[in-house]
């Protein structure tokens, strides 16, 4: 049976392909065959065979169309929250200090260990639903609040189940080297051994993650420890990404480059050598303005340096309970401009083409091009700049995933639906 052919007319597309601002084509049309994009261009150039054979024709009513958004760095699966810690920080206690006192990431580890799989799923769904409602069609989800075999596997199974339940592509990452669990207090090397011997092989063996990440920082793990995790990850066929240079410079970007990491994330303390290294390894710089804002960081990621060395910049929520309790990638576009000085076009590229590259999915998503997945969003805006300009609003009109227009109930099932 030939695949269903749909045509979207009366639209303006921001293809996000390089070469012209937003890769924009006004008065355009887009054809979808099955789950892939079959044609995109000026409406008047739409070839006759598409027009004649179309099974379905949709009127976009002048909407702007972008690729489905890609949120390439999230810790979306966790239990509990850290509202109390927020109060403490507002009284002047720093994030690092809370972490040293045994709070911070560890308090989420206790809550996540204590929640069974169903409960963890239940607590994670509102966050995912909120993301999807704002046009996200691909999301990366990290483990890292388990720090033991059972809970790391449980988090990754929940991430997988979210991807099966909702119309979204979930990209799972193993973040065993996120923090030191209490049972290893005082012996980070022993914990890293445990991650490499007991946890990572199990995660990889069960196919529960496609990449490994680590938190290489003064309150996380050293370069040597991170390198050990990366070597093991590589032996098990996992790709690499890294929380790098967030609170201090550890030469973590250089380490990411050495392992040809897909992404190096945060980067507030990136050096010129680090920028040169990731430029050479074609590693994407993932900027996380939500975390910068929420923990009131002072030091900006060196955006000019990244531009000078032509490092692609992605923008993501870092959705997590401690440093970035947000689900709004659209808000991050605005913050990437107002706080970090990105242009609105760079910000949108950061949540589409470059975020796709940060996940190794650039052949499938991130731009509107023939052959790519038909994941796209119709927006009630008059120019793509507006996606970064407005904040705290959601102009998402319609979401098309693998060629199928979603119904609101697809991404916000009724509370008793599962
Ligand atoms: N850096 C971050 O911003 C998150 N993890 C990390 O390594 C914070 C995670 C948390 O505080 O729960
Ligand atoms: Fe993070």
């Amino acid at each position: 049976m030939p695949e269903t052919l749909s045509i979207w007319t009366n639209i303006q597309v921001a293809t996000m392909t390089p070469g012209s601002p937003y890769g924009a084509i006004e008065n355009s049309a887009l054809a979808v065959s099955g789950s892939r994009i079959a044609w995109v261009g000026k409406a008047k150039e739409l070839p006759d065979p598409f027009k004649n054979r179309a099974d379905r024709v949709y009127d976009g009513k002048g909407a702007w169309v972008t690729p489905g958004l890609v949120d390439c760095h999230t810790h979306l699966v966790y239990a509990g929250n850290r509202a109390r810690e927020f109060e403490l920080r507002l009284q002047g206690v720093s994030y690092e200090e809370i972490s040293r006192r045994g709070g911070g990431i560890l308090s989420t580890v206790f809550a996540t260990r204590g929640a069974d799989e169903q409960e963890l799923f239940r607590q994670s769904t509102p966050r995912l639903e909120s993301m999807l409602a704002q046009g996200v069609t691909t999301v990366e989800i990290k483990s890292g609040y388990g720090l033991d075999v059972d809970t790391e596997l449980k988090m990754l199974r929940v991430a997988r189940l979210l991807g099966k339940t909702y119309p979204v592509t979930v990209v799972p990452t193993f973040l065993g080297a996120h923090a030191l669990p209490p049972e290893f207090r005082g012996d980070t090397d022993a914990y890293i051994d445990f991650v490499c011997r007991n946890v990572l092989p199990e995660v990889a063996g069960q196919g529960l993650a496609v990449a490994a990440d680590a938190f290489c920082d003064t309150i996380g793990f050293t370069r040597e420890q991170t390198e050990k995790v990366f070597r093991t990850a590589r032996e098990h066929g996992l790709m690499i990404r890294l929380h790098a240079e967030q609170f201090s410079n550890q030469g973590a970007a250089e380490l990411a480059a050495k392992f040809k990491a897909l992404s190096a994330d945060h980067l507030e303390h990136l050096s010129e050598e680090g920028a040169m290294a990731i430029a050479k390894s074609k590693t994407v710089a993932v900027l996380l303005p939500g975390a910068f804002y929420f923990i009131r960081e002072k030091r900006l990621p060196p955006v000019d340096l990244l531009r000078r060395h032509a490092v692609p910049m992605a923008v993501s929520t870092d959705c997590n309970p401690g440093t970035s309790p947000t689900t709004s990638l659209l808000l991050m576009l605005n913050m990437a401009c107002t706080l970090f000085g990105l242009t609105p076009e760079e910000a949108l590229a950061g949540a589409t083409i470059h975020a796709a590259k940060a996940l190794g999915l650039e052949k499938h998503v991130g731009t509107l091009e023939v052959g790519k997945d038909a994941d796209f969003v119709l927006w009630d805006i008059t120019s793509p700049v507006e996606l970064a300009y407005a904040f705290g609003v959601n102009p998402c009109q319609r979401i098309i995933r693998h060629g199928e227009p979603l119904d609101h109930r697809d991404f916000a099932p009724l509370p008793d639906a599962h």
Side-chain angles (χ1 to χ4, degrees):
M1 205 175 77
E3 305 220 79
T4 306
L5 183 70
S6 343
I7 309 278
W8 291 79
T9 58
N10 198 7
I11 52 175
Q12 336 290 327
V13 291
T15 63
M16 299 313 290
T17 49
S20 65
Y22 296 96
I25 311 171
E26 297 194 22
N27 304 317
S28 49
L30 193 151
V32 177
S33 175
S35 63
R36 302 269 174 83
I37 297 173
W39 191 88
V40 58
K42 285 271 183 207
K44 59 179 185 323
E45 290 163 17
L46 179 69
D48 283 338
F50 284 113
K51 272 188 237 164
N52 303 339
R53 274 188 36 229
D55 301 295
R56 296 186 271 182
V57 179
Y58 296 97
D59 180 359
K61 303 195 173 113
W64 273 91
V65 177
T66 69
L69 302 186
V70 178
D71 198 339
C72 66
H73 177 144
T74 89
H75 309 248
L76 179 134
V77 170
Y78 61 83
N81 70 61
R82 305 247 286 280
R84 173 66 193 136
E85 181 181 317
F86 178 53
E87 289 182 312
L88 283 176
R89 283 199 301 101
L90 290 171
Q91 288 160 19
V93 189
S94 73
Y95 179 75
E96 285 105 320
E97 180 55 29
I98 288 168
S99 159
R100 270 191 292 271
R101 290 184 196 170
I105 293 175
L106 286 188
S107 69
T108 303
V109 170
F110 296 131
T112 305
R113 286 180 177 180
D116 67 18
E117 207 154 320
Q118 225 182 346
E119 177 59 16
L120 196 53
F121 181 84
R122 194 190 66 75
Q123 291 195 32
S124 303
T125 53
R127 293 189 281 274
L128 185 64
E129 289 172 8
S130 162
M131 273 185 187
L132 302 195
Q134 297 185 41
V136 170
T137 51
T138 303
V139 61
E140 186 257 14
I141 300 179
K142 301 176 196 297
S143 70
Y145 291 123
L147 313 181
D148 61 23
V149 177
D150 289 351
T151 318
E152 288 293 304
L153 294 174
K154 177 174 72 182
M155 289 184 74
L156 291 166
R157 281 195 303 269
V158 168
R160 183 172 64 187
L161 185 60
L162 288 168
K164 289 206 168 120
T165 310
Y166 288 87
V168 63
T169 303
V170 169
V171 180
T173 298
F174 172 61
L175 176 57
H178 192 198
L180 186 65
E183 56 280 16
F184 284 90
R185 182 162 299 144
D187 201 348
T188 35
D189 283 332
Y191 178 63
I192 291 297
D193 277 347
F194 169 73
V195 165
C196 294
R197 282 207 200 120
N198 301 64
V199 200
L200 195 151
E202 196 60 37
V203 165
Q206 295 191 25
L208 282 168
V210 297
D213 190 347
F215 184 24
C216 184
D217 218 307
T218 42
I219 55 170
F221 297 92
T222 65
R223 264 182 72 123
E224 291 67 34
Q225 290 162 342
T226 304
E227 180 154 4
K228 192 158 178 209
V229 174
F230 284 179
R231 277 200 305 267
T232 311
R234 206 188 242 171
E235 281 162 21
H236 287 84
L238 299 186
M239 297 180 284
I240 304 290
R241 54 178 83 261
L242 185 61
H243 281 71
E245 336 285 31
Q246 181 181 10
F247 297 108
S248 61
N249 184 288
Q250 302 285 326
E254 287 88 332
L255 180 64
K258 180 171 162 189
F259 281 83
K260 303 239 171 306
L262 286 173
S263 71
D265 306 41
H266 288 286
L267 300 176
E268 278 80 351
H269 292 258
L270 179 70
S271 68
E272 174 127 35
E273 293 73 33
M276 283 160 62
I278 58 173
K280 212 162 151 218
S281 61
K282 304 211 180 309
T283 298
V284 176
V286 178
L287 304 181
L288 304 164
F292 173 91
Y293 160 79
F294 193 67
I295 53 176
R296 300 201 283 188
E297 279 285 320
K298 298 283 174 297
R299 188 170 167 132
L300 290 161
V303 164
D304 276 337
L305 193 60
L306 292 166
R307 285 193 187 114
R308 211 172 330 120
H309 292 286
V311 177
M313 293 179 281
V315 174
S316 165
T317 57
D318 195 12
C319 170
N320 79 72
T323 64
S324 195
T326 181
T327 54
S328 179
L329 190 51
L330 290 175
L331 178 58
M332 297 307 111
L333 299 188
N334 176 269
M335 285 187 176
C337 298
T338 53
L339 299 176
F340 292 173
L342 265 63
T343 66
E345 187 188 356
E346 284 174 324
L348 187 57
T352 53
I353 181 170
H354 296 151
K357 188 164 187 302
L359 297 180
L361 291 179
E362 65 273 24
K363 291 205 174 73
H364 305 283
V365 297
T367 61
L368 299 176
E369 286 178 275
V370 173
K372 286 206 178 179
D373 291 353
D375 288 1
F376 53 91
V377 183
L378 274 66
W379 305 95
D380 183 15
I381 51 176
T382 56
S383 88
V385 183
E386 288 172 43
L387 291 179
Y389 154 76
F391 63 99
V393 299
N394 181 15
C396 177
Q397 255 180 357
R398 214 160 179 192
I399 301 166
I400 290 77
R401 149 104 175 146
H402 289 182
E404 289 300 322
L406 301 184
D407 190 279
H408 188 256
R409 282 164 301 188
D410 290 332
F411 53 89
L414 297 171
D416 59 359
H418 34 240

